């Protein structure tokens, strides 16, 4: 398999790009690729190029871009907002949400949020690794954490916010296309609450917001990471880019 690496530099046929230490190490030491080996490099602006490992200078791998492969095609416009969770499920959620096509990830502090520190660099690294593996050309944006209250105040007027409401007060998620099918082309977002669930005041605030749609994910209480990935999969299937 040809290694596929995200590269921020300007890519074009004939350009040489020097990979940062972590990618150089991965390519030359972990994958044991040598000069001449095929490599794919990509970014959202320039697309994907097939190239070859051209040299290894003081541990830094230099890739020569050769043939243009394809340009970036943005997927459905869906964000994932989530109350911070512990490290292992957060890693998994960032990776899988990237595979499921989210354009943006943002931690949201709620009243019952237990985890109070968020490692944005770790989120970014997980998203990047997942994008490299799943053939995406863009990396989800990672926004710094914000409180739920502040996030709702500055909420974009055109973006629907689907809130996974564990109390069962929302509509079944599969009913979204029947009720909001006309909004398919609009931008969307999902919000997943903390381990302790949303506070009653937060549920009232969410219910009163004009862009919020509360949904149920069934009778079982799902872990936050399960809820996020299940909701994203359903959204992609009924309103997103899994449709024909
Ligand atoms: N402590 C809460 C309780 O016992 O009801 C459960 C919180 S759950 C672990 C974390 C988040 O996942 C919830 O805030 C919600 O956003 C989502 N979630 C879990 N199960 C859900 C369901 N059946 N329907 C909708 N959302 C759900």
């Amino acid at each position: 398999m040809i290694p596929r690496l995200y590269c921020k530099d300007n890519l074009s046929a004939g350009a040489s790009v020097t990979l940062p230490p972590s990618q150089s190490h991965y390519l030359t030491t972990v994958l044991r690729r040598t000069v001449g080996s095929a490599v794919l490099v990509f970014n959202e602006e320039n697309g994907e190029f097939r190239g070859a490992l051209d040299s290894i200078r003081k541990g830094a791998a230099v890739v020569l871009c050769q043939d243009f492969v394809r340009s970036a095609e943005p997927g459905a416009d869906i964000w994932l907002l989530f109350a911070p969770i512990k490290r292992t499920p957060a890693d998994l959620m960032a990776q899988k949400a990237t595979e499921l096509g989210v354009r943006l990830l943002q931690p949201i502090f709620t009243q019952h949020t237990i985890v109070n520190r968020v490692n944005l660099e770790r989120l970014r690294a997980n998203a990047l690794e997942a994008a490299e593996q799943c053939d995406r050309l863009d990396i989800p944006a990672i926004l710094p954490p914000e409180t739920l209250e502040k996030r709702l105040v500055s909420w974009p007027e055109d973006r629907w916010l689907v809130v996974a409401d564990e109390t069962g007060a929302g509509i079944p998620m599969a009913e979204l296309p029947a009720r909001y099918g006309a909004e398919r082309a609009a931008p969307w977002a999902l919000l997943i609450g903390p381990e302790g669930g949303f506070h009653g005041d937060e549920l009232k605030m969410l219910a009163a917001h004009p862009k919020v749609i509360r949904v149920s994910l069934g009778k079982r209480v799902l872990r936050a990471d399960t809820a996020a990935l299940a909701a994203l999969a359903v959204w992609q299937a009924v309103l997103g880019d899994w449709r024909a």
Side-chain angles (χ1 to χ4, degrees):
M1 204 158 112
I2 302 179
R4 203 174 164 267
L5 301 170
Y6 179 78
C7 184
K8 273 192 268 190
D9 293 3
N10 210 0
L11 305 176
S12 61
S16 277
V17 292
T18 304
L19 300 179
S22 58
Q23 286 180 329
S24 296
H25 173 79
Y26 174 69
L27 193 63
T28 60
T29 310
V30 179
L31 300 182
R32 296 179 174 277
R33 294 301 200 267
T34 51
V35 170
S37 303
V39 182
L40 291 163
V41 283
F42 69 95
N43 65 39
E44 50 276 88
E45 259 122 57
N46 310 125
E48 187 163 27
F49 285 80
R50 195 188 158 96
L53 180 53
D54 198 40
S55 62
I56 304 163
R57 289 182 214 139
K58 292 188 184 161
V62 178
V63 172
L64 174 67
C65 300
Q66 293 162 328
D67 307 312
F68 175 71
V69 178
R70 63 191 173 121
S71 48
E73 269 176 47
D77 190 354
I78 180 81
W79 294 355
L80 174 63
L81 277 57
F82 58 96
I85 48 178
K86 291 192 188 106
R87 199 165 73 173
T88 305
D91 285 353
L92 184 111
M93 194 170 71
Q95 291 162 17
K96 305 299 165 199
T98 302
E99 289 173 44
L100 289 165
V102 295
R103 282 204 195 170
L104 176 147
L105 289 159
Q106 186 178 26
I108 298 290
F109 287 120
T110 65
Q111 294 198 36
H112 291 160
T113 302
I114 300 159
V115 175
N116 53 18
R117 285 178 55 181
V118 182
N119 186 338
L120 293 181
E121 274 318 305
R122 204 178 162 97
L123 272 182
R124 209 167 273 128
N126 275 295
L128 191 143
E129 193 186 311
E132 288 178 342
Q133 282 171 14
C134 77
D135 258 12
R136 258 182 94 148
L137 292 186
D138 60 322
I139 311 294
I142 310 282
L143 288 195
E146 225 176 337
T147 62
L148 179 59
E149 217 167 347
K150 276 197 185 152
R151 195 67 189 92
L152 286 183
V153 169
S154 64
W155 192 252
E157 273 177 21
D158 60 341
R159 189 173 290 272
W160 292 102
L161 178 57
V162 176
V163 177
D165 179 350
E166 71 275 3
T167 67
I171 60 169
M173 236 198 126
E175 283 185 16
L176 277 179
R179 302 201 194 192
Y180 296 91
E183 299 295 323
R184 279 197 170 111
W188 289 75
L190 285 169
L191 171 65
I192 305 296
E195 278 171 54
F198 289 109
H199 188 281
D201 291 347
E202 290 170 337
L203 288 170
K204 279 190 204 141
M205 183 169 64
L206 287 165
H209 194 282
K211 295 308 283 186
V212 165
I213 304 166
R214 287 174 300 152
V215 297
S216 166
L217 302 171
K219 290 183 190 150
R220 289 169 293 275
V221 178
L222 308 177
R223 274 177 41 163
D225 49 326
T226 313
L229 302 178
L232 267 173
V234 174
W235 187 87
Q236 285 290 21
V238 300
L239 289 172
D241 59 25
W242 288 4
R243 291 173 308 116

